Amino acid sequence: MVASKRTDIRCQLCGVSGNIGRMRLASEPPEAASRCMRGGVPVTNEADCVGCFVVTDDGTEDDDDAADVSFVPEETENPKDAKYEYMSTPPGVSGEDCFDEMSDDDDDDDSEMDMDANAKSYRQFLTGLPSDNCNIIVPLTDEYKKRDQTWRSREHISGPNCVLHNAYSGENITAEELRGCNTLQLFCPKSNEWEPEKGDEDFEIQEECPIYLSGLRDHFDSKSNAATVFVPMRHQQEEFHVHNWASAASDRYLAAMPFHPACFEVFKRASLKRFNTIDVAGLMGWYQVESTYHFTDKVFPHDEAVKRATKNQGWDHVEGDEWIAANPCFVPALQVEMQQLATTESFASPPLGHAASISDEIDEIAQMNLSSEASSNLPQSFYFGHIRHEMPWIWETWCARAYSGWATKSQSEITKAPLALSHQRGYLKNWIKAIETEGESSTQKRAQLRDLNTQLKELEAQNSFIPEPVAATLLPRQGTDWRKLYFALQNMAENSSGLRNRERVWRCCNYILDRIALQREKGKINANNKVRLPQDRHKKGGDFYNSRSLDFADDYSESEAEFSDGEDGDMEMDED
């Protein structure tokens, strides 16, 4: 499916793999974990960890395994020399039990203290996950490794000194922040027989739009020998030729472009902000023209954190870089903050004649804080304008567009086993076709045919998904404390993984919009009559490029030699 240079499929918009791992904490339910897949099975765990756990799956634990999962290491300079003190715990402790017990202790010991708003939000998120009481968590010790020769295939639970690199540690990023990071969708070229169907987005049904959306796929594993099935089936298609490098496909115009649904929501807003339309045709044209190995993996100016993760064939889960996989749309810290912005202060414009002096002092805002006298002297409208102009990725200030339902769903929530579903559907259809081909109209055959059609209808209904728009927040100008939001955003810029990644993906999308514009000028991408170009669109020194996108690749030579990586499987398209 892809060349030997790498083993994963990545989002074409943000550059992050669709096969991310996360090790849950002992206090979290099983569904808070995410395991990387290779060849259709979870990646094995090869780690010399101290203080981590594994999960047994037999529903019982022996006396040697009975131990408290909340132990704390003694302070030591070398984590490998750490020793642990265990407290006795009744047998059969599960992750959910531990989470409940810790919650109860917090309520008893800190009943007079308010729980942090973010912690409350995450606890609510975890509580909403289904539980699995058959998983028993035990410490990963040398004694356990000797006793269980299959420990490498067990689920690994991260401790404070975990050194495993095939997943991010739950100590550093929450499951809620990583929501949707393993779900990919595709832009698929329309065939001549393509017809609209229920659930299509507005752009899909437009006659000039060359693509439609596939279903979803979790943990896309390019090395799997199994067929790649996306669910639900859309437009009678469930299997696709998926490439990050369209030039590696037998026909680049039939290649399907992979992306995170959440990242596509970012692109929609970036395109609307710049061109007042969602330039899907331009995006697919850019993919077909520029998605070679050299441009996609070498030239595209991704963040250094993405480059560190992609040095090897597979995705490297580098500690400290977890934020690049965070959901850019649904940001827990931002959602909590937006619920605390009500104010009675009026939304007033600066006094006449003062606007210029305020603009001159714009760089000094970073030196202020929320409680400073200087910050309170500036009107709410100033902070609103500054956020909207300098931080367009905070679209809650200007965009009321709803999120697509695709961005809120995963493949596993629709169907746990997509390949098994495909086989069962094919089996029923083939049986129905065989009976119809025979042409026999006996009572028994008619009854059998009705029964098979009923089974097929029920199967499709049980595994269907029609996306419904999800309302997005648009903060009202009047009644919002824009001053408070501004300083909260300054803090979240470094502390919130989701907000930090939203800015990164926003800049990636705007860089792609830059490239679309360049290729249109060269005639390699068809013009879009709905695109409304802003004034001075080529002014590199203005805010159009610098505040919204990555450094433009003016020095990038698009010669045949540079576009190619020298392999027949990945060549740039011919000029004709």
Side-chain angles (χ1 to χ4, degrees), residues 344-526:
T344 58
E345 185 176 345
S346 63
F347 184 86
S349 299
L352 190 63
H354 288 193
S357 62
I358 288 178
S359 299
D360 292 339
E361 298 172 0
I362 200 168
D363 293 335
E364 299 179 8
I365 301 179
Q367 308 302 323
M368 301 178 189
N369 57 58
L370 182 61
S371 60
S372 69
E373 182 178 353
S375 69
S376 60
N377 288 337
L378 294 173
Q380 289 283 353
S381 58
F382 170 76
Y383 291 99
F384 168 78
H386 188 69
I387 294 171
R388 192 169 181 176
H389 179 76
E390 297 297 325
M391 294 179 254
W393 52 88
I394 308 299
W395 50 71
E396 289 81 0
T397 66
W398 59 269
C399 183
R401 182 184 180 86
Y403 293 113
S404 168
W406 293 114
T408 67
K409 209 74 172 176
S410 67
Q411 165 243 296
S412 60
E413 291 175 310
I414 302 172
T415 302
K416 292 288 186 181
L419 186 57
L421 168 64
S422 178
H423 287 167
Q424 188 175 2
R425 180 191 292 117
Y427 172 76
L428 291 172
K429 286 185 174 181
N430 288 337
W431 199 353
I432 291 171
K433 183 178 181 180
I435 295 176
E436 292 176 338
T437 301
E438 289 177 2
E440 186 178 343
S441 59
S442 65
T443 302
Q444 181 180 2
K445 288 294 184 180
R446 289 198 301 271
Q448 187 179 25
L449 193 59
R450 285 195 301 270
D451 180 62
L452 290 173
N453 278 304
T454 299
Q455 291 184 47
L456 180 60
K457 186 176 180 180
E458 291 176 350
L459 180 70
E460 299 293 6
Q462 292 169 1
N463 298 277
S464 66
F465 174 67
I466 303 298
E468 295 291 341
V470 178
T473 299
L474 178 62
L475 295 170
R477 293 193 184 188
Q478 192 71 251
T480 297
D481 193 337
W482 299 104
R483 183 185 301 111
K484 182 179 180 182
L485 176 59
Y486 171 80
F487 288 107
L489 291 172
Q490 301 306 302
N491 181 60
M492 283 189 284
E494 291 298 326
N495 298 328
S496 169
S497 296
L499 195 61
R500 188 179 177 187
N501 197 38
R502 181 189 283 196
E503 178 181 352
R504 182 187 73 84
V505 179
W506 177 270
R507 295 186 184 279
C508 287
C509 290
N510 274 275
Y511 178 80
I512 292 171
L513 290 169
D514 292 343
R515 302 298 301 180
I516 293 172
L518 178 65
Q519 295 297 350
R520 274 211 173 102
E521 289 181 353
K522 296 184 175 184
K524 293 186 177 182
I525 297 178
N526 293 333

Side-chain angles (χ1 to χ4, degrees), residues 52-108:
C52 293
F53 309 91
V54 291
V55 179
T56 64
D57 58 0
D58 56 6
T60 62
E61 76 179 331
D62 58 34
D63 294 337
D64 292 331
D65 288 337
D68 181 22
V69 295
S70 59
F71 59 79
V72 179
E74 298 176 356
E75 292 186 2
T76 178
E77 294 183 358
N78 187 349
K80 293 186 177 182
D81 296 333
K83 298 180 180 179
Y84 299 88
E85 297 179 357
Y86 296 88
M87 297 175 62
S88 60
T89 299
V93 176
S94 70
E96 183 185 13
D97 296 333
C98 179
F99 176 69
D100 291 339
E101 290 173 8
M102 292 171 66
S103 300
D104 293 340
D105 290 343
D106 290 341
D107 292 339
D108 294 337

